[in-house]
Amino acid sequence: MIEEGRALFLQIAESVEDSIIDGSLPAEGQAPSTNELAVFYRVNPATAAKGIAMLADKGVLYKRRGIGMFVSPGARDLLRTERLAAFADRYVDPLLAEARKLGLGPADLVDLVRARAEGSASATIERTPR
């Protein structure tokens, strides 16, 4: 689960985010403690605390004094919006740039993605006439 070359606290924060996005950690649900995360990931509790603090700073988690950290209402929507923007930047924008170079339009891309999603590894498309 731990990836070499990426800060451990970021990976821990992302793991908690994943649980919020997939619904296994719902709004108002109690987040794992820093000690639980430290044991699970076999890291120093300060490292886990840094990941949790990052999520609190983003407004994803909030602290209930003496009880622990909890998922903020709206955290799932916030994370989905943030990840959708990152997905578009990382994958969609380069895809569109390459499609333009190849002379492909939006309908061509939809056809290609649909064919690949349906399992046709050798999917090819005919260029849309311009």
Side-chain angles (χ1 to χ4, degrees), residues 99 102-115 124-130:
L102 297 172
L104 302 175
D108 299 321
L109 289 176
V110 169
D111 291 344
L112 181 60
V113 170
R114 185 172 287 123
T124 58
I125 58 171
E126 295 296 320
R127 235 175 93 189
T128 303
R130 305 244 177 243

Side-chain angles (χ1 to χ4, degrees), residues 2 14-15 43 52 75 84 94 101 113 125:
I2 298 295
E14 187 174 279
S15 176
V43 297
I52 293 296
L84 181 59
K101 291 176 192 173
V113 170
I125 58 171

Side-chain angles (χ1 to χ4, degrees), residues 7-67:
L8 292 173
F9 78 93
L10 291 174
Q11 294 179 60
I12 290 169
E14 187 174 279
S15 176
V16 173
E17 288 178 347
D18 289 345
S19 295
I20 293 168
I21 289 171
D22 74 17
S24 60
L25 192 53
E28 301 296 343
Q30 187 167 8
S33 71
T34 55
N35 288 332
E36 291 170 332
L37 291 168
V39 168
F40 182 81
Y41 289 102
R42 296 185 177 129
V43 297
N44 186 306
T47 300
K50 190 171 179 180
I52 293 296
M54 187 179 90
L55 295 175
D57 290 345
K58 280 185 7 178
V60 172
L61 299 178
Y62 70 93
K63 185 175 190 169
R64 287 189 189 162
R65 186 169 229 165
I67 301 175

Side-chain angles (χ1 to χ4, degrees), residues 60-122:
V60 172
L61 299 178
Y62 70 93
K63 185 175 190 169
R64 287 189 189 162
R65 186 169 229 165
I67 301 175
M69 300 297 282
F70 290 80
V71 178
S72 300
R76 184 171 189 259
D77 291 337
L78 173 73
L79 292 171
R80 284 178 51 84
T81 299
E82 183 180 273
R83 288 208 180 168
L84 181 59
F87 179 80
D89 290 344
R90 192 174 300 131
Y91 301 106
V92 177
D93 291 347
L95 172 76
L96 292 172
E98 185 66 16
R100 274 188 223 95
K101 291 176 192 173
L102 297 172
L104 302 175
D108 299 321
L109 289 176
V110 169
D111 291 344
L112 181 60
V113 170
R114 185 172 287 123
R116 289 295 178 115
E118 293 170 354
S120 177
S122 62

